[in-house]
Amino acid sequence: GNAALAQNDAAGALAAYDRAARALPSEAGVHLDRGSALAAAGRQADARTALLAATEPPASAEVRAAAYYNMGLLYKDFMTNDPDPKENKKAYAKAKTYFQQYLGKGQGSAEKKEEAKDNIDDCEKTIAALDLAIEQMSQLPPPAPAPAPAPK
């Protein structure tokens, strides 16, 4: 699966990870990798389920931390395209929480920790911008009613 994912072959990676998940259903690392493949395949809800499975014991602290980081990316990069800014704000808030959980695990390289902090900053800035947009939208007058259809 890893080789296929490195070649941007999400379908091939997913097939391999699905086989691995059936053979090793309690192996959190499989769920972590499968979640990455599902996200790459555009299946965000399934990716979220797989990544959440990787955060559960008996997963190692390293795997749980990586799953939290990937959950942050999933929410920040793939779940913030809703036309409703309130929904996007919720997704950025969740992303921020997952990056914070990653940092709380104390795992990962200094570079990855810095990336997590940068992602948290990005989420905070975007949440502030969304708050402003939501406030401005609330001050707009309601839309005018549609005109009645002309009689035939």
PDB file of all heavy atoms in Angstrom, residues 69-95:
ATOM      1  N   TYR A  69      -2.559  14.064  13.669  1.00  0.00           N
ATOM      2  CA  TYR A  69      -2.027  15.022  12.693  1.00  0.00           C
ATOM      3  C   TYR A  69      -2.779  14.885  11.368  1.00  0.00           C
ATOM      4  O   TYR A  69      -3.209  15.876  10.780  1.00  0.00           O
ATOM      5  CB  TYR A  69      -0.528  14.797  12.492  1.00  0.00           C
ATOM      6  CG  TYR A  69       0.107  15.840  11.612  1.00  0.00           C
ATOM      7  CD1 TYR A  69       0.605  17.015  12.160  1.00  0.00           C
ATOM      8  CD2 TYR A  69       0.189  15.679  10.237  1.00  0.00           C
ATOM      9  CE1 TYR A  69       1.171  17.993  11.362  1.00  0.00           C
ATOM     10  CE2 TYR A  69       0.755  16.648   9.427  1.00  0.00           C
ATOM     11  CZ  TYR A  69       1.240  17.807  10.004  1.00  0.00           C
ATOM     12  OH  TYR A  69       1.793  18.772   9.204  1.00  0.00           O
ATOM     13  N   ASN A  70      -2.951  13.642  10.918  1.00  0.00           N
ATOM     14  CA  ASN A  70      -3.650  13.408   9.651  1.00  0.00           C
ATOM     15  C   ASN A  70      -5.112  13.817   9.726  1.00  0.00           C
ATOM     16  O   ASN A  70      -5.683  14.293   8.735  1.00  0.00           O
ATOM     17  CB  ASN A  70      -3.500  11.955   9.220  1.00  0.00           C
ATOM     18  CG  ASN A  70      -2.097  11.637   8.748  1.00  0.00           C
ATOM     19  OD1 ASN A  70      -1.234  12.513   8.684  1.00  0.00           O
ATOM     20  ND2 ASN A  70      -1.851  10.386   8.435  1.00  0.00           N
ATOM     21  N   MET A  71      -5.732  13.656  10.895  1.00  0.00           N
ATOM     22  CA  MET A  71      -7.112  14.131  11.072  1.00  0.00           C
ATOM     23  C   MET A  71      -7.153  15.650  10.934  1.00  0.00           C
ATOM     24  O   MET A  71      -8.080  16.195  10.330  1.00  0.00           O
ATOM     25  CB  MET A  71      -7.663  13.713  12.438  1.00  0.00           C
ATOM     26  CG  MET A  71      -8.049  12.257  12.524  1.00  0.00           C
ATOM     27  SD  MET A  71      -9.528  11.852  11.571  1.00  0.00           S
ATOM     28  CE  MET A  71     -10.772  12.577  12.622  1.00  0.00           C
ATOM     29  N   GLY A  72      -6.153  16.322  11.499  1.00  0.00           N
ATOM     30  CA  GLY A  72      -6.088  17.768  11.355  1.00  0.00           C
ATOM     31  C   GLY A  72      -6.016  18.173   9.892  1.00  0.00           C
ATOM     32  O   GLY A  72      -6.728  19.074   9.439  1.00  0.00           O
ATOM     33  N   LEU A  73      -5.145  17.494   9.143  1.00  0.00           N
ATOM     34  CA  LEU A  73      -5.027  17.788   7.710  1.00  0.00           C
ATOM     35  C   LEU A  73      -6.328  17.481   6.972  1.00  0.00           C
ATOM     36  O   LEU A  73      -6.739  18.236   6.089  1.00  0.00           O
ATOM     37  CB  LEU A  73      -3.888  16.986   7.087  1.00  0.00           C
ATOM     38  CG  LEU A  73      -2.473  17.383   7.483  1.00  0.00           C
ATOM     39  CD1 LEU A  73      -1.465  16.441   6.830  1.00  0.00           C
ATOM     40  CD2 LEU A  73      -2.180  18.829   7.126  1.00  0.00           C
ATOM     41  N   LEU A  74      -6.954  16.372   7.324  1.00  0.00           N
ATOM     42  CA  LEU A  74      -8.209  15.988   6.675  1.00  0.00           C
ATOM     43  C   LEU A  74      -9.252  17.094   6.839  1.00  0.00           C
ATOM     44  O   LEU A  74      -9.877  17.518   5.868  1.00  0.00           O
ATOM     45  CB  LEU A  74      -8.727  14.670   7.264  1.00  0.00           C
ATOM     46  CG  LEU A  74     -10.047  14.152   6.700  1.00  0.00           C
ATOM     47  CD1 LEU A  74      -9.861  13.680   5.261  1.00  0.00           C
ATOM     48  CD2 LEU A  74     -10.574  13.015   7.569  1.00  0.00           C
ATOM     49  N   TYR A  75      -9.420  17.568   8.067  1.00  0.00           N
ATOM     50  CA  TYR A  75     -10.406  18.623   8.300  1.00  0.00           C
ATOM     51  C   TYR A  75      -9.985  19.934   7.650  1.00  0.00           C
ATOM     52  O   TYR A  75     -10.795  20.612   7.025  1.00  0.00           O
ATOM     53  CB  TYR A  75     -10.649  18.819   9.804  1.00  0.00           C
ATOM     54  CG  TYR A  75     -11.716  17.905  10.322  1.00  0.00           C
ATOM     55  CD1 TYR A  75     -11.404  16.651  10.832  1.00  0.00           C
ATOM     56  CD2 TYR A  75     -13.049  18.282  10.275  1.00  0.00           C
ATOM     57  CE1 TYR A  75     -12.394  15.804  11.287  1.00  0.00           C
ATOM     58  CE2 TYR A  75     -14.053  17.440  10.732  1.00  0.00           C
ATOM     59  CZ  TYR A  75     -13.713  16.198  11.238  1.00  0.00           C
ATOM     60  OH  TYR A  75     -14.702  15.361  11.676  1.00  0.00           O
ATOM     61  N   LYS A  76      -8.720  20.313   7.783  1.00  0.00           N
ATOM     62  CA  LYS A  76      -8.252  21.601   7.261  1.00  0.00           C
ATOM     63  C   LYS A  76      -8.274  21.643   5.741  1.00  0.00           C
ATOM     64  O   LYS A  76      -8.689  22.638   5.150  1.00  0.00           O
ATOM     65  CB  LYS A  76      -6.838  21.868   7.772  1.00  0.00           C
ATOM     66  CG  LYS A  76      -6.247  23.183   7.312  1.00  0.00           C
ATOM     67  CD  LYS A  76      -4.857  23.370   7.919  1.00  0.00           C
ATOM     68  CE  LYS A  76      -4.176  24.585   7.372  1.00  0.00           C
ATOM     69  NZ  LYS A  76      -3.431  24.317   6.147  1.00  0.00           N
ATOM     70  N   ASP A  77      -7.851  20.577   5.113  1.00  0.00           N
ATOM     71  CA  ASP A  77      -7.667  20.589   3.664  1.00  0.00           C
ATOM     72  C   ASP A  77      -8.857  20.070   2.868  1.00  0.00           C
ATOM     73  O   ASP A  77      -9.004  20.425   1.692  1.00  0.00           O
ATOM     74  CB  ASP A  77      -6.426  19.776   3.284  1.00  0.00           C
ATOM     75  CG  ASP A  77      -5.143  20.386   3.828  1.00  0.00           C
ATOM     76  OD1 ASP A  77      -5.138  21.595   4.156  1.00  0.00           O
ATOM     77  OD2 ASP A  77      -4.144  19.662   3.929  1.00  0.00           O
ATOM     78  N   PHE A  78      -9.681  19.220   3.472  1.00  0.00           N
ATOM     79  CA  PHE A  78     -10.728  18.566   2.688  1.00  0.00           C
ATOM     80  C   PHE A  78     -12.145  18.801   3.193  1.00  0.00           C
ATOM     81  O   PHE A  78     -13.089  18.489   2.487  1.00  0.00           O
ATOM     82  CB  PHE A  78     -10.489  17.052   2.631  1.00  0.00           C
ATOM     83  CG  PHE A  78      -9.229  16.673   1.919  1.00  0.00           C
ATOM     84  CD1 PHE A  78      -8.141  16.214   2.628  1.00  0.00           C
ATOM     85  CD2 PHE A  78      -9.120  16.792   0.540  1.00  0.00           C
ATOM     86  CE1 PHE A  78      -6.966  15.868   1.980  1.00  0.00           C
ATOM     87  CE2 PHE A  78      -7.958  16.454  -0.118  1.00  0.00           C
ATOM     88  CZ  PHE A  78      -6.874  15.986   0.600  1.00  0.00           C
ATOM     89  N   MET A  79     -12.299  19.308   4.401  1.00  0.00           N
ATOM     90  CA  MET A  79     -13.650  19.400   4.959  1.00  0.00           C
ATOM     91  C   MET A  79     -14.040  20.853   5.228  1.00  0.00           C
ATOM     92  O   MET A  79     -14.877  21.128   6.072  1.00  0.00           O
ATOM     93  CB  MET A  79     -13.745  18.539   6.207  1.00  0.00           C
ATOM     94  CG  MET A  79     -13.385  17.080   5.878  1.00  0.00           C
ATOM     95  SD  MET A  79     -13.613  15.928   7.197  1.00  0.00           S
ATOM     96  CE  MET A  79     -15.335  15.558   6.997  1.00  0.00           C
ATOM     97  N   THR A  80     -13.429  21.768   4.505  1.00  0.00           N
ATOM     98  CA  THR A  80     -13.688  23.196   4.714  1.00  0.00           C
ATOM     99  C   THR A  80     -14.197  23.853   3.437  1.00  0.00           C
ATOM    100  O   THR A  80     -13.911  25.021   3.188  1.00  0.00           O
ATOM    101  CB  THR A  80     -12.405  23.897   5.203  1.00  0.00           C
ATOM    102  OG1 THR A  80     -11.354  23.598   4.282  1.00  0.00           O
ATOM    103  CG2 THR A  80     -12.017  23.450   6.590  1.00  0.00           C
ATOM    104  N   ASN A  81     -14.940  23.117   2.651  1.00  0.00           N
ATOM    105  CA  ASN A  81     -15.457  23.644   1.380  1.00  0.00           C
ATOM    106  C   ASN A  81     -16.966  23.807   1.390  1.00  0.00           C
ATOM    107  O   ASN A  81     -17.580  23.857   0.335  1.00  0.00           O
ATOM    108  CB  ASN A  81     -15.040  22.715   0.235  1.00  0.00           C
ATOM    109  CG  ASN A  81     -13.540  22.636   0.100  1.00  0.00           C
ATOM    110  OD1 ASN A  81     -12.852  23.637   0.235  1.00  0.00           O
ATOM    111  ND2 ASN A  81     -13.026  21.451  -0.146  1.00  0.00           N
ATOM    112  N   ASP A  82     -17.548  23.883   2.557  1.00  0.00           N
ATOM    113  CA  ASP A  82     -18.991  24.034   2.663  1.00  0.00           C
ATOM    114  C   ASP A  82     -19.380  25.459   2.280  1.00  0.00           C
ATOM    115  O   ASP A  82     -18.664  26.398   2.606  1.00  0.00           O
ATOM    116  CB  ASP A  82     -19.420  23.734   4.109  1.00  0.00           C
ATOM    117  CG  ASP A  82     -20.897  23.480   4.239  1.00  0.00           C
ATOM    118  OD1 ASP A  82     -21.675  24.452   4.109  1.00  0.00           O
ATOM    119  OD2 ASP A  82     -21.274  22.326   4.457  1.00  0.00           O
ATOM    120  N   PRO A  83     -20.502  25.636   1.595  1.00  0.00           N
ATOM    121  CA  PRO A  83     -20.923  27.002   1.278  1.00  0.00           C
ATOM    122  C   PRO A  83     -21.305  27.815   2.523  1.00  0.00           C
ATOM    123  O   PRO A  83     -21.325  29.038   2.484  1.00  0.00           O
ATOM    124  CB  PRO A  83     -22.120  26.819   0.348  1.00  0.00           C
ATOM    125  CG  PRO A  83     -22.502  25.396   0.424  1.00  0.00           C
ATOM    126  CD  PRO A  83     -21.353  24.629   0.986  1.00  0.00           C
ATOM    127  N   ASP A  84     -21.567  27.138   3.625  1.00  0.00           N
ATOM    128  CA  ASP A  84     -21.939  27.812   4.875  1.00  0.00           C
ATOM    129  C   ASP A  84     -20.672  28.101   5.686  1.00  0.00           C
ATOM    130  O   ASP A  84     -19.994  27.172   6.143  1.00  0.00           O
ATOM    131  CB  ASP A  84     -22.890  26.922   5.677  1.00  0.00           C
ATOM    132  CG  ASP A  84     -23.362  27.560   6.973  1.00  0.00           C
ATOM    133  OD1 ASP A  84     -22.868  28.652   7.342  1.00  0.00           O
ATOM    134  OD2 ASP A  84     -24.214  26.957   7.640  1.00  0.00           O
ATOM    135  N   PRO A  85     -20.331  29.369   5.886  1.00  0.00           N
ATOM    136  CA  PRO A  85     -19.116  29.679   6.642  1.00  0.00           C
ATOM    137  C   PRO A  85     -19.139  29.154   8.074  1.00  0.00           C
ATOM    138  O   PRO A  85     -18.088  28.871   8.641  1.00  0.00           O
ATOM    139  CB  PRO A  85     -19.038  31.209   6.597  1.00  0.00           C
ATOM    140  CG  PRO A  85     -20.366  31.688   6.159  1.00  0.00           C
ATOM    141  CD  PRO A  85     -21.024  30.568   5.424  1.00  0.00           C
ATOM    142  N   LYS A  86     -20.320  28.978   8.647  1.00  0.00           N
ATOM    143  CA  LYS A  86     -20.403  28.428  10.008  1.00  0.00           C
ATOM    144  C   LYS A  86     -19.909  26.981  10.033  1.00  0.00           C
ATOM    145  O   LYS A  86     -19.244  26.560  10.982  1.00  0.00           O
ATOM    146  CB  LYS A  86     -21.829  28.520  10.537  1.00  0.00           C
ATOM    147  CG  LYS A  86     -22.285  29.942  10.799  1.00  0.00           C
ATOM    148  CD  LYS A  86     -23.726  29.981  11.255  1.00  0.00           C
ATOM    149  CE  LYS A  86     -24.195  31.415  11.400  1.00  0.00           C
ATOM    150  NZ  LYS A  86     -25.618  31.490  11.737  1.00  0.00           N
ATOM    151  N   GLU A  87     -20.235  26.220   8.994  1.00  0.00           N
ATOM    152  CA  GLU A  87     -19.763  24.836   8.911  1.00  0.00           C
ATOM    153  C   GLU A  87     -18.247  24.797   8.703  1.00  0.00           C
ATOM    154  O   GLU A  87     -17.552  23.951   9.266  1.00  0.00           O
ATOM    155  CB  GLU A  87     -20.493  24.078   7.804  1.00  0.00           C
ATOM    156  CG  GLU A  87     -21.957  23.838   8.092  1.00  0.00           C
ATOM    157  CD  GLU A  87     -22.201  23.080   9.388  1.00  0.00           C
ATOM    158  OE1 GLU A  87     -21.517  22.064   9.632  1.00  0.00           O
ATOM    159  OE2 GLU A  87     -23.065  23.509  10.175  1.00  0.00           O
ATOM    160  N   ASN A  88     -17.740  25.701   7.882  1.00  0.00           N
ATOM    161  CA  ASN A  88     -16.295  25.769   7.671  1.00  0.00           C
ATOM    162  C   ASN A  88     -15.577  26.129   8.965  1.00  0.00           C
ATOM    163  O   ASN A  88     -14.514  25.587   9.277  1.00  0.00           O
ATOM    164  CB  ASN A  88     -15.947  26.753   6.560  1.00  0.00           C
ATOM    165  CG  ASN A  88     -16.342  26.222   5.204  1.00  0.00           C
ATOM    166  OD1 ASN A  88     -16.307  25.025   4.963  1.00  0.00           O
ATOM    167  ND2 ASN A  88     -16.717  27.111   4.315  1.00  0.00           N
ATOM    168  N   LYS A  89     -16.150  27.035   9.727  1.00  0.00           N
ATOM    169  CA  LYS A  89     -15.559  27.419  11.014  1.00  0.00           C
ATOM    170  C   LYS A  89     -15.465  26.193  11.931  1.00  0.00           C
ATOM    171  O   LYS A  89     -14.439  25.986  12.581  1.00  0.00           O
ATOM    172  CB  LYS A  89     -16.390  28.525  11.668  1.00  0.00           C
ATOM    173  CG  LYS A  89     -15.857  28.955  13.009  1.00  0.00           C
ATOM    174  CD  LYS A  89     -16.735  30.004  13.658  1.00  0.00           C
ATOM    175  CE  LYS A  89     -16.270  30.258  15.072  1.00  0.00           C
ATOM    176  NZ  LYS A  89     -17.138  31.184  15.785  1.00  0.00           N
ATOM    177  N   LYS A  90     -16.522  25.387  11.964  1.00  0.00           N
ATOM    178  CA  LYS A  90     -16.503  24.167  12.785  1.00  0.00           C
ATOM    179  C   LYS A  90     -15.389  23.224  12.335  1.00  0.00           C
ATOM    180  O   LYS A  90     -14.699  22.624  13.157  1.00  0.00           O
ATOM    181  CB  LYS A  90     -17.849  23.443  12.705  1.00  0.00           C
ATOM    182  CG  LYS A  90     -18.981  24.132  13.403  1.00  0.00           C
ATOM    183  CD  LYS A  90     -20.269  23.357  13.198  1.00  0.00           C
ATOM    184  CE  LYS A  90     -21.480  24.128  13.620  1.00  0.00           C
ATOM    185  NZ  LYS A  90     -22.738  23.405  13.333  1.00  0.00           N
ATOM    186  N   ALA A  91     -15.227  23.083  11.013  1.00  0.00           N
ATOM    187  CA  ALA A  91     -14.196  22.182  10.489  1.00  0.00           C
ATOM    188  C   ALA A  91     -12.797  22.689  10.846  1.00  0.00           C
ATOM    189  O   ALA A  91     -11.929  21.902  11.236  1.00  0.00           O
ATOM    190  CB  ALA A  91     -14.343  22.021   8.980  1.00  0.00           C
ATOM    191  N   TYR A  92     -12.572  23.997  10.722  1.00  0.00           N
ATOM    192  CA  TYR A  92     -11.264  24.542  11.096  1.00  0.00           C
ATOM    193  C   TYR A  92     -11.016  24.390  12.599  1.00  0.00           C
ATOM    194  O   TYR A  92      -9.884  24.128  13.028  1.00  0.00           O
ATOM    195  CB  TYR A  92     -11.136  26.008  10.682  1.00  0.00           C
ATOM    196  CG  TYR A  92     -10.756  26.175   9.235  1.00  0.00           C
ATOM    197  CD1 TYR A  92     -11.679  26.611   8.292  1.00  0.00           C
ATOM    198  CD2 TYR A  92      -9.463  25.901   8.796  1.00  0.00           C
ATOM    199  CE1 TYR A  92     -11.339  26.757   6.957  1.00  0.00           C
ATOM    200  CE2 TYR A  92      -9.108  26.043   7.462  1.00  0.00           C
ATOM    201  CZ  TYR A  92     -10.049  26.474   6.555  1.00  0.00           C
ATOM    202  OH  TYR A  92      -9.700  26.607   5.244  1.00  0.00           O
ATOM    203  N   ALA A  93     -12.060  24.540  13.396  1.00  0.00           N
ATOM    204  CA  ALA A  93     -11.908  24.353  14.843  1.00  0.00           C
ATOM    205  C   ALA A  93     -11.533  22.901  15.162  1.00  0.00           C
ATOM    206  O   ALA A  93     -10.684  22.650  16.023  1.00  0.00           O
ATOM    207  CB  ALA A  93     -13.189  24.765  15.570  1.00  0.00           C
ATOM    208  N   LYS A  94     -12.165  21.957  14.465  1.00  0.00           N
ATOM    209  CA  LYS A  94     -11.815  20.546  14.670  1.00  0.00           C
ATOM    210  C   LYS A  94     -10.380  20.290  14.229  1.00  0.00           C
ATOM    211  O   LYS A  94      -9.630  19.569  14.901  1.00  0.00           O
ATOM    212  CB  LYS A  94     -12.776  19.632  13.909  1.00  0.00           C
ATOM    213  CG  LYS A  94     -14.117  19.495  14.567  1.00  0.00           C
ATOM    214  CD  LYS A  94     -14.985  18.496  13.816  1.00  0.00           C
ATOM    215  CE  LYS A  94     -16.334  18.379  14.476  1.00  0.00           C
ATOM    216  NZ  LYS A  94     -17.168  17.371  13.833  1.00  0.00           N
ATOM    217  N   ALA A  95      -9.993  20.845  13.082  1.00  0.00           N
ATOM    218  CA  ALA A  95      -8.616  20.676  12.607  1.00  0.00           C
ATOM    219  C   ALA A  95      -7.638  21.179  13.655  1.00  0.00           C
ATOM    220  O   ALA A  95      -6.653  20.503  13.991  1.00  0.00           O
ATOM    221  CB  ALA A  95      -8.418  21.414  11.286  1.00  0.00           C
TER     222      ALA A  95
END
